[in-house]
């Protein structure tokens, strides 16, 4: 069994997301970046299949050199190899272009049975990448998977449960296939100290578009037919006070508020 998991780096807070001049969401600004909270569920799904059936799990990110950090986290969780695709020509890419890049990386890794993604990324929330990836590779796609019921690489079959608004749907597809998983499919494992130490010493290969056989004119702003016109954060909930300051100042203010309200 060979699985490839796609992990995305996202800004830690919604304030880290903005719209660029060319009309795309960008994760700019000096804030922190981390693994998209959905993606450890995708990694765990692939690792559980490997634990049960044997095989190998690879992780891939399309990003920049900063994203090496999340690929090392995937290694620490237990994936066998991690790969970064980084290229200046990716600037301005929309989800379709990113799917083209991920498809190129999957082809370079080769001989995959299963591709696993999160059901939607926390910043752009498009849920496009999974389906576009399947179309580009011409393989089946099963989205919003809440359980993998059966996986048989020899018989080339996967059976899953999809959780829908109005119920559950059991679906089967032939392998290779792409699945997108929902939060809660499995509890992601914590990396062990040994895993973290080993991962810190691993090299993460960085591939350019040329390395994965993707034409630069089909990605980036030129290869991205969709544009985001505006992006607004959800309105701040009323009656909520955001406490700011150093940890000590925030703790002191919080204690004061609790005393003022006579909670204690
Ligand atoms: C170098 C670079 C420059 C970019 N520049 C822009 C820009 O200028 N404007 C802009 O709008 N967007 C830009 N993007 C972001 C890119 O368009 C998003 O990754 C893409 O929009 C994915 O959309 P989504 O988050 O809605 O994915 P969804 O379809 O919601 O994501 C579902 C799943 O797909 C997988 N996935 C998604 N993106 C990636 C990824 N990058 N790597 C690995 N797995 C992934 C994950 O498993 C994720 O859980 C850039 C990305 C890169 C790498």
């Amino acid at each position: 069994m060979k699985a490839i998991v796609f992990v995305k780096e996202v800004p830690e807070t919604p304030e880290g997301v903005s719209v660029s001049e060319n009309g795309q969401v960008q994760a700019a600004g000096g804030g922190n970046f981390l693994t998209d909270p959905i993606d450890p569920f995708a990694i765990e799904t692939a690792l559980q299949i490997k634990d049960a059936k044997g095989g190998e799990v690879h992780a891939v990110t399309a990003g920049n050199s900063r994203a090496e950090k999340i690929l090392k986290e995937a290694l620490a969780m237990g994936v066998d190899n991690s790969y970064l695709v980084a290229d200046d020509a990716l600037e301005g890419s929309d989800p379709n272009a990113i799917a083209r890049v991920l498809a190129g990386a999957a082809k370079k890794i080769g001989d995959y049975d299963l591709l696993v993604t999160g059901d939607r990324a926390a910043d752009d929330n498009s849920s496009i990448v999974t389906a576009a990836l399947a179309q580009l590779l011409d393989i089946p796609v099963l989205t919003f998977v809440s359980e993998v019921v059966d996986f048989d690489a020899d018989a080339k079959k996967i059976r899953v449960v999809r959780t829908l608004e109005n119920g559950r749907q059991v679906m089967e597809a032939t392998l290779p296939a792409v699945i997108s998983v929902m939060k809660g499919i499995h509890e992601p494992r914590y990396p062990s100290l040994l895993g973290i130490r080993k991962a810190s010493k691993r090299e993460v290969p960085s591939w350019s578009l040329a390395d994965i056989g993707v034409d630069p004119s089909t990605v980036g702003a030129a290869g991205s037919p969709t544009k985001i016109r505006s992006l607004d954060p959800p309105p701040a909930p009323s009656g909520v006070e955001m406490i700011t300051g150093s940890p000590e100042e925030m703790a002191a203010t919080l204690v004061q508020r609790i005393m003022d309200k006579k909670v204690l």
Side-chain angles (χ1 to χ4, degrees):
M1 186 286 296
K2 193 193 249 188
I4 306 174
V5 185
F6 297 98
V7 292
K8 181 180 177 183
E9 187 199 47
V10 294
E12 189 174 11
T13 61
E15 291 76 35
V17 181
S18 62
V19 180
S20 67
E21 275 176 18
N22 61 10
Q24 300 290 347
V25 170
Q26 59 184 4
N32 281 336
F33 289 78
L34 36 76
T35 305
D36 192 305
I38 185 67
D39 292 338
F41 293 88
I43 296 173
E44 183 62 35
T45 301
L47 289 178
Q48 289 212 8
I49 294 174
K50 176 187 166 180
D51 291 346
K53 310 275 179 178
E56 52 195 83
V57 178
H58 303 259
V60 172
T61 270
N64 56 36
S65 56
R66 187 187 52 219
E68 199 183 294
K69 175 171 163 273
I70 69 165
L71 290 168
K72 291 220 169 180
E73 286 170 10
L75 286 168
M77 272 183 81
V79 308
D80 297 281
N81 291 300
S82 276
Y83 307 94
L84 171 70
V85 184
D87 197 302
D88 289 348
L90 288 179
E91 209 45 57
S93 294
D94 73 359
N96 302 290
I98 292 301
R100 199 179 306 285
V101 173
L102 301 184
K107 281 185 196 159
K108 181 162 173 87
I109 293 169
D111 287 334
Y112 47 81
D113 299 295
L114 186 66
L115 306 184
V116 191
T117 73
D119 62 355
R120 75 191 61 165
D123 53 355
D124 302 6
N125 254 274
S126 75
S127 286
I128 289 174
V129 169
T130 317
L133 191 54
Q135 190 190 18
L136 289 162
L137 295 171
D138 198 18
I139 57 177
V141 60
L142 299 165
T143 52
F144 299 102
V145 170
S146 54
E147 186 184 347
V148 176
V149 182
D150 193 25
F151 180 93
D152 189 335
D154 295 329
K156 300 211 169 300
K157 282 257 157 56
I158 182 170
R159 186 181 304 158
V160 304
V161 175
R162 300 180 67 232
T163 296
L164 312 175
E165 267 179 30
N166 53 356
R168 285 157 43 96
Q169 189 179 55
V170 178
M171 283 191 76
E172 206 171 87
T174 53
L175 297 175
V178 190
I179 64 170
S180 73
V181 305
M182 303 174 75
K183 254 186 197 152
I185 181 167
H186 300 293
E187 195 53 40
R189 65 194 66 186
Y190 285 107
S192 65
L193 273 178
L194 186 63
I196 294 169
R197 209 174 302 146
K198 275 187 180 166
S200 70
K201 294 182 185 143
R202 293 278 304 274
E203 289 285 316
V204 173
S206 179
W207 291 335
S208 66
L209 291 177
D211 292 329
I212 58 169
V214 171
D215 177 352
S217 71
T218 62
V219 299
S224 297
T226 60
K227 301 275 180 267
I228 294 165
R229 292 294 170 213
S230 67
L231 181 74
D232 300 307
S238 58
V240 171
E241 178 190 354
M242 297 305 291
I243 296 174
T244 55
S246 67
E248 292 78 13
E249 287 164 347
M250 289 193 287
T253 311
L254 187 58
V255 168
Q256 192 56 52
R257 295 291 182 274
I258 290 170
M259 302 306 270
D260 291 348
K261 298 248 179 241
K262 301 199 186 329
V263 177
L264 290 177

